Amino acid sequence: MKKFLIIANWKLNGNFYFINKNINLIKKKIDNLLSFCDLSIAPPYLYISYINNFLKNTSISLTAQNVDIHTEGSFTGEISINMLKDVGVKYVIIGHSERRLYHNEDNNLISKKFILIKNNGLIPIICLGETEKQKEQNQTEKVCIQQINNILENSNINILNKTIIAYEPIWAIGSGKSANINEIEKIILYIKKYIASLDAKIAENIYFLYGGSVNYSNLDIFLKKKIINGLLVGKASLTTENFISLVKKAEKIINSLNRS
Ligand code: PGA
């Protein structure tokens, strides 16, 4: 059985005050629950190393919100995969719609990042999802498959082994409106079947996450679907007491369901 995975994506939020106040709380209240799921925190780069010191001897891991495709040199403002390894990162989010939108990242660049992360032994979390317009035009499947194909054009199917795909409808992120659960299930199944048509074993080893306005109140519907192996939580991870309640609720639900 795959362990459920929860990623807390802090985005451009947090500071030393926030971290000092909240990390010990998360450690104290959540770490002992983590036999049922893996928890990873994605703070802004600057704080990764600092937070890592708090998380030693816990099962909570660290996620980076991005990486550059260059490994060293004159690339002002960038962070390399080696630096992420150096500070103890486990997962790297790429292809997030906010990077695509505000930093003009395209499928090609994201594919390069994906391959770089895999080749360096970290785990990519690649975000796929459609805009509202693409949804209206029934383009969702095409948009998601295009990104997968782009990776495959630059590598081969083995590159997808043991990776994480996060389906994140762009219109659902930060909007308070999560996608319809049947639609989420349909899209994830579609992606999985597509990968299975290329290699069934690799498709089985992929984790599928959902992200987009997940919160304490709507958590149940995602957990009840076995095709969803985890959640990417943005806004709802920023109020620590609420986030702790969310993880505790997830634990209760998962323990009560036979998700194997
Ligand atoms: P949200 O963000 O939970 O605030 O919608 C999710 C994400 O961007 O991963």
Side-chain angles (χ1 to χ4, degrees), residues 9 11 96-98 127 168 172-176 211-214 232-236:
N9 182 8
K11 307 188 180 183
H96 194 283
S97 61
E98 288 150 14
C127 302
E168 296 213 310
I173 295 172
S175 66
S213 296
V214 174
L232 201 46
V233 185
K235 212 178 259 172

Side-chain angles (χ1 to χ4, degrees), residues 23-39:
I23 285 292
N24 278 328
L25 201 60
I26 291 179
K27 229 166 88 172
K28 207 166 115 206
K29 304 267 182 173
I30 304 188
D31 189 38
N32 60 341
L33 302 179
L34 294 181
S35 54
F36 88 97
C37 94
D38 277 333
L39 175 67

Side-chain angles (χ1 to χ4, degrees), residues 180-196:
N180 174 289
I181 188 64
N182 296 325
E183 283 176 26
I184 298 170
E185 187 178 33
K186 196 173 125 216
I187 304 299
I188 295 181
L189 262 173
Y190 188 92
I191 301 170
K192 189 167 179 174
K193 272 195 188 146
Y194 177 72
I195 297 170

